[in-house]
Amino acid sequence: MKLKGYRRPDGRIGIRNHVLVLPCSLCASETARFTASLVDGAVYIPNQGGCAMVKKDLEITLEVLSGLAANPNVYGTVIIGNNCEGVQASLLAEKIREKTNKPLETVVIREAGGTIKAVELASRYAAQMSREAGMLEKEAFDISELILGTECGGSDPTSGLAANPVLGKVSDKLVELGATVILSETSELVGTEEVLAPRCKDEATKEKLLRIIRENEAHFERAGESLRFGNPSPGNKEGGLTTLEEKSLGCIHKAGESTIMDVYGYGEMIHSKGLVVMDTPGQDIASIAAMVAGGAQLVIFTTGRGTPTGNGIVPVIKITGNAETAQLMADNIDFDASSAITEGRDMEELAEGLFELAVQTVNGQKTKAESLGFNDMSLARECNFC
Amino acid sequence: MYGCVKLHEKDTVATAILPITSGEEVHYRFGGQELTVKACTDVPVYHKLALVDLKKGDVVTKYGQKIGYALQDIPKGAHVHTHNLYSTMPKEASTQEE
């Protein structure tokens, strides 16, 4: 199947054409915001990290920030550094260059002579990129070049009954067509070992998967919590969930039933085709950020209670199986799958509808969150990686 | 009015989408077919009911996959929950104790 997108010099294909103004740290974030506000087509990332971090967190932050710049929906990037932060502008530029050869400029606030001079310089770079980006023409690409991130949040009993099974069918179809689908949120995978391990393509992949689950549990244990005991919770049981397998299946179902080809670290660039797992926290925004950094051009998000979530770089399609949510949050929900429950409508039919919406979104139709200009961003840290 | 949802061809349980009363004919739709199951117990909304007669020790299937084992014989149309379905997941004792 042919879709239309923007071919990047590194060979990847984007479905949006943003100029990214990327602050190295929280100290550079406001300067980045001023800069992006001056330039049409520019987005900035509110960065709340980038400094005062342990080594592991510095690595995670560099991985994600460089991944955001490398995301194919980005035409080019203007890095903004303060001067003294842990994520040094030169270090970030180097990391971005390891991932992509797209347009890249760097402005350091101290070197430029303060915020106003830095904004002048950075906005000129960004405006130049915006003009160049406007010259690009879309070209046809095969759907196998698409990377879909899947996410769920604000789940309720309808999530497992409609939204996740419908998205699961779309995920399976994409994998069949040669594309890549990401299953995220490691904390949701605790308890799925028996289900997911046999679905891994080989022993090495299985070991990687079991390792990220063990490490995630260890994070919780260090904080004095357990994901496994007492799960499903009394509230889950009252809601009709009996076993941990059942609860987990309701969630992982959204990524379909394909073979797991590989397991990636938080924000690591994805090179595989087929279904892959990424080690992300259960917090939706930080999970989406990592999949975007991994190269996902599109995210589909299932929700029961409803969520406004959007991302500045990648369209996030939101789907619910809860008829009330679809109505109450019509400004935020893109696809209503509740007829699977209320009318016994065929999941296949609904999946076709969602697939069609995904194709339209790839080809340029804005999601609800995009039309509202949403730009949610959160980066996970090792010390609160749960 | 549909009363439950079956999610996968292989499933031996369905999920109630309305509160179900014992003796009720519960309608559902799967693979384009109109189907019914007669409830033999009450089933709260979003809880499971058996679509087939299950023997003690049988695998119980939802989403086309195993969600646990029948702790006792479970007749078609009965509520399936912690009293008659258990998990053998390692380290997960919570459901089996109840």
Side-chain angles (χ1 to χ4, degrees):
Chain A
M1 180 179 283
K2 291 287 181 191
L3 303 167
K4 286 204 154 184
Y6 303 95
R7 182 67 62 190
R8 303 302 176 200
D10 59 14
R12 294 202 165 206
I13 194 95
I15 64 168
R16 297 292 184 268
N17 205 22
H18 301 296
V19 172
L20 177 63
V21 183
L22 184 63
C24 291
S25 64
L26 65 178
C27 305
S29 277
E30 281 294 274
T31 305
R33 182 172 64 82
F34 291 154
T35 302
S37 70
L38 293 175
V39 180
D40 184 52
V43 292
Y44 95 106
I45 296 298
N47 180 358
Q48 297 194 349
C51 201
M53 305 174 112
V54 297
K55 186 166 171 282
K56 173 75 181 170
D57 282 329
L58 194 63
E59 285 167 11
I60 290 174
T61 306
L62 269 171
E63 185 77 271
V64 176
L65 294 179
S66 60
L68 296 176
N71 184 289
N73 289 3
V74 170
Y75 170 82
T77 299
V78 180
I79 296 173
I80 302 200
N82 180 33
N83 73 90
C84 55
E85 62 260 86
V87 174
Q88 285 284 294
S90 57
L91 198 62
L92 180 55
E94 203 177 295
K95 187 80 180 166
I96 293 171
R97 275 289 169 251
E98 285 171 18
K99 295 185 180 184
T100 181
N101 57 354
K102 292 188 297 189
L104 181 65
E105 296 289 351
T106 300
V107 173
V108 176
I109 297 168
R110 188 173 196 275
E111 288 168 15
T115 280
I116 293 174
K117 285 181 177 163
V119 169
E120 184 191 347
L121 189 57
S123 58
R124 198 163 284 129
Y125 284 140
Q128 170 71 24
M129 284 186 197
S130 173
R131 290 193 295 275
E132 290 165 7
M135 302 272 289
L136 271 189
E137 281 187 21
K138 282 191 178 185
E139 61 177 72
F141 73 93
D142 191 79
I143 199 163
S144 61
E145 291 191 76
L146 195 67
I147 302 180
L148 171 74
T150 66
E151 183 65 34
C152 61
S155 299
D156 74 4
T158 66
S159 304
L161 281 178
N164 286 341
V166 169
L167 175 53
K169 288 188 187 298
V170 171
S171 296
D172 281 340
K173 183 169 177 182
L174 282 170
V175 169
E176 265 172 49
L177 292 170
T180 305
V181 174
I182 313 170
L183 172 63
S184 66
E185 300 192 298
T186 312
S187 48
E188 306 278 2
L189 305 184
V190 175
T192 63
E193 294 90 335
E194 272 190 35
V195 177
L196 288 181
R199 277 174 49 191
C200 291
K201 79 160 186 209
D202 54 27
E203 276 302 311
T205 308
K206 184 169 141 184
E207 189 34 54
K208 272 197 218 172
L209 179 73
L210 295 178
R211 191 174 64 232
I212 65 164
I213 295 174
R214 275 198 307 271
E215 284 173 3
N216 190 274
E217 277 199 276
H219 281 297
F220 277 87
E221 276 161 20
R222 280 198 291 277
E225 302 278 346
S226 168
L227 282 181
R228 207 177 287 256
F229 289 105
N231 197 0
S233 67
N236 289 150
K237 287 182 184 173
E238 201 183 315
L241 292 172
T242 311
T243 65
L244 186 53
E245 295 96 306
E246 182 186 11
K247 181 181 173 179
S248 303
L249 279 167
C251 167
I252 63 175
H253 211 63
K254 65 183 180 291
E257 298 175 4
S258 312
T259 301
I260 295 167
M261 304 306 287
D262 209 345
V263 178
Y264 286 86
Y266 185 77
E268 200 183 337
M269 193 181 241
I270 289 169
H271 297 284
S272 323
K273 297 289 182 193
L275 176 63
V276 300
V277 173
M278 183 179 274
D279 184 15
T280 75
Q283 199 246 71
D284 307 329
I285 317 285
S287 180
I288 290 173
M291 292 191 282
V292 173
Q297 302 103 321
L298 178 70
V299 169
I300 305 184
F301 187 132
T302 64
T303 179
R305 301 294 300 168
T307 164
T309 302
N311 179 278
I313 297 172
V314 163
V316 179
I317 295 174
K318 291 189 298 290
I319 154 175
T320 188
N322 184 320
E324 202 185 355
T325 297
Q327 200 180 6
L328 284 173
M329 293 186 69
D331 290 342
N332 306 97
I333 302 294
D334 297 280
F335 192 87
D336 177 5
S338 64
S339 56
I341 299 173
T342 53
E343 296 163 30
R345 193 153 158 224
D346 200 65
M347 299 275 182
E348 295 287 350
E349 243 177 75
L350 284 163
E352 276 170 31
L354 180 60
F355 187 82
E356 184 56 35
L357 177 62
V359 168
Q360 286 166 356
T361 305
V362 164
N363 286 337
Q365 181 181 312
K366 286 184 178 175
T367 61
K368 296 269 174 86
E370 276 184 302
S371 70
L372 294 171
F374 273 36
N375 186 19
D376 295 319
M377 180 55 59
S378 171
L379 303 181
R381 289 172 76 148
E382 179 77 2
C383 55
N384 59 1
F385 196 69
C386 43
Chain B
M1 190 71 127
Y2 296 108
C4 66
V5 173
K6 177 180 170 175
L7 288 162
H8 193 280
E9 199 180 354
K10 292 183 194 159
D11 287 1
T12 54
V13 291
T15 306
I17 52 172
L18 297 168
I20 292 169
T21 313
S22 183
E24 199 179 308
E25 289 283 347
V26 184
H27 299 273
Y28 64 104
R29 209 163 171 266
F30 189 79
Q33 284 188 299
E34 301 293 331
L35 302 157
T36 55
V37 55
K38 190 179 168 69
C40 61
T41 67
D42 289 353
V43 184
V45 65
Y46 297 131
H47 284 231
K48 293 173 289 298
L49 74 163
L51 292 176
V52 298
D53 288 320
L54 292 159
K55 291 273 168 233
K56 182 178 177 178
D58 278 357
V59 167
V60 177
T61 306
K62 182 178 168 186
Y63 301 108
Q65 313 221 33
K66 185 190 83 179
I67 59 164
Y69 297 95
L71 195 57
Q72 60 199 54
D73 290 355
I74 306 173
K76 183 175 172 177
H79 182 205
V80 178
H81 200 30
T82 47
H83 60 291
N84 57 11
L85 168 64
Y86 71 101
S87 164
T88 53
M89 298 274 308
K91 286 173 77 179
E92 197 224 346
S94 56
T95 55
Q96 208 167 348
E97 281 166 3
E98 290 175 4

